[in-house]
């Protein structure tokens, strides 16, 4: 039982950055703008979050803001200049990967002040569930809150309805007096903000070290999870932990000393991503 709880706890940790990035991209795509540059934005968030943390002791907000500003490149290209969204998103990935590697080269081998797990009051004393969900770090708890707020925003507010209407029928939204471009700018910026938070989680909570390309494809898994969750924040919540569970399971198998090649085990989350996409299409 302890082993199962340990794996499920690790699944929540592994799924948190995917969840954060996915929720941000759901908001962006609900406005009618697809941003495939999540991986690059996460790396920008991870790098700037780590570097700012080494200088000031806290880099979370800086990571979110830097990734948000970086995402505005995509917004300018696709919303203002009508550049193909796929091309712009891929370009953002290449730029984010290269820029984070160049600037972050000076921080390789250093450590930063990170977020440590702590029990969340009486919730942490709940049998099994408390150990899995409420003995985590502050960013995991923040991901719970953000997921609920995004669900409420999209389905229970006039602003959320306006955003969804822009994505569903921009011509009707424009005729109703809504600023289609303004809403899409805001949605893309929010997606960048959440991707920056996801990147900061990886460099400041999941690990407290910086290394190039440390997101290891999690941004692409987030892109797949948006489709898997059918653009629904609630489905993204358990979908992210399902993907995180595959990652935690393959790590547990390696630690247990299985004779399976570690390269095959490391492929499991990505193979599962492809299968999930095939099922959800």
């Amino acid at each position: 039982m302890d082993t199962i709880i340990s794996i499920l706890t690790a699944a929540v940790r592994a799924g948190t950055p995917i969840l954060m990035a996915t929720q941000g991209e759901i908001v962006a795509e609900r406005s009618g703008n697809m941003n495939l540059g999540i991986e690059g934005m996460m790396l920008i968030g991870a790098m700037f979050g780590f570097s700012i943390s080494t200088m000031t002791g806290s880099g979370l907000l800086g990571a979110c803001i830097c990734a948000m500003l970086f995402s505005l490149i995509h917004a300018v290209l696709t919303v203002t200049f009508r550049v193909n969204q796929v091309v712009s998103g891929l370009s953002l990935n290449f730029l984010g990967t290269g820029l984070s590697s160049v600037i972050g080269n000076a921080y390789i081998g250093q450590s930063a002040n990170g977020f440590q797990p702590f029990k969340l009051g009486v919730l942490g004393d709940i049998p099994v569930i408390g150990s899995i969900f409420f003995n985590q770090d502050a960013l995991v708890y923040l991901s719970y809150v953000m997921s609920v707020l995004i669900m409420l925003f999209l389905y229970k507010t006039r602003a959320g309805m306006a955003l969804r209407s822009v994505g569903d029928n921009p011509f009707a939204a424009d005729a109703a007096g809504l600023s289609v471009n303004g809403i899409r700018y805001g949605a893309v910026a929010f997606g960048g903000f959440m991707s920056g938070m996801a990147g900061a989680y990886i460099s400041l909570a999941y690990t407290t070290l910086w290394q190039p390309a440390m997101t290891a494809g999690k941004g692409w898994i987030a892109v797949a999870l948006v489709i898997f969750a059918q653009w629904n924040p609630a489905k993204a919540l358990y979908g992210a932990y399902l993907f995180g569970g595959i990652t935690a399971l393959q790590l547990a198998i390696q630690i247990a000393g299985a004779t399976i090649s570690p390269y095959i085990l490391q492929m499991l989350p990505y193979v599962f991503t492809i299968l999930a996409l095939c099922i959800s299409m």
Side-chain angles (χ1 to χ4, degrees), residues 85-155:
Q85 293 177 5
V86 173
V87 174
S88 176
L90 292 175
S91 300
L92 214 64
N93 268 327
F94 297 138
L95 180 59
T97 301
L99 189 62
S100 63
S101 297
V102 171
I103 299 177
N105 187 60
Y107 297 97
I108 295 177
Q110 296 186 29
S111 60
N113 294 323
F115 293 86
Q116 301 301 321
F118 64 91
K119 185 172 69 173
L120 193 62
V122 295
L123 294 175
D125 295 324
I126 301 174
V128 183
I129 293 176
S131 298
I132 296 171
F133 292 102
F134 302 113
N135 275 280
Q136 301 282 358
D137 58 77
L139 291 187
V140 174
Y141 302 141
L142 180 59
S143 72
Y144 301 159
V145 174
M146 292 300 297
S147 295
V148 173
L149 290 178
I150 289 170
M151 282 186 274
L152 292 175
F153 168 76
L154 285 176
Y155 301 113

Side-chain angles (χ1 to χ4, degrees), residues 43 51 66 68 94 98 119 122 127 132 142 162 179 193-194:
L43 283 169
S51 60
C66 288
M68 180 180 69
F94 297 138
K119 185 172 69 173
V122 295
I132 296 171
L142 180 59
S179 174
F193 186 91
M194 291 298 294

Side-chain angles (χ1 to χ4, degrees), residues 152-259:
L152 292 175
F153 168 76
L154 285 176
Y155 301 113
K156 299 297 182 180
T157 68
R158 290 176 62 88
M161 184 173 65
L163 183 142
R164 288 186 289 117
S165 68
V166 166
D168 292 339
N169 194 327
F171 300 105
D174 181 65
L178 296 175
S179 174
V180 174
N181 285 359
I183 290 174
R184 285 179 172 170
Y185 261 89
V188 171
F190 180 76
F193 186 91
M194 291 298 294
S195 291
M197 187 184 298
Y201 178 84
I202 294 173
S203 62
L204 297 177
Y206 199 67
T207 68
T208 54
L209 301 172
W210 162 257
Q211 61 181 19
M214 67 186 306
T215 51
K218 291 182 175 63
W220 291 110
I221 292 178
V223 171
L225 183 55
V226 172
I227 303 170
F228 176 75
Q230 298 177 322
W231 296 269
N232 186 321
K235 291 182 180 180
L237 190 63
Y238 63 77
Y241 297 142
L242 180 61
F243 280 83
I246 302 299
T247 301
L249 181 62
Q250 63 95 3
L251 289 173
I253 293 174
Q254 290 187 57
I255 293 173
T259 56

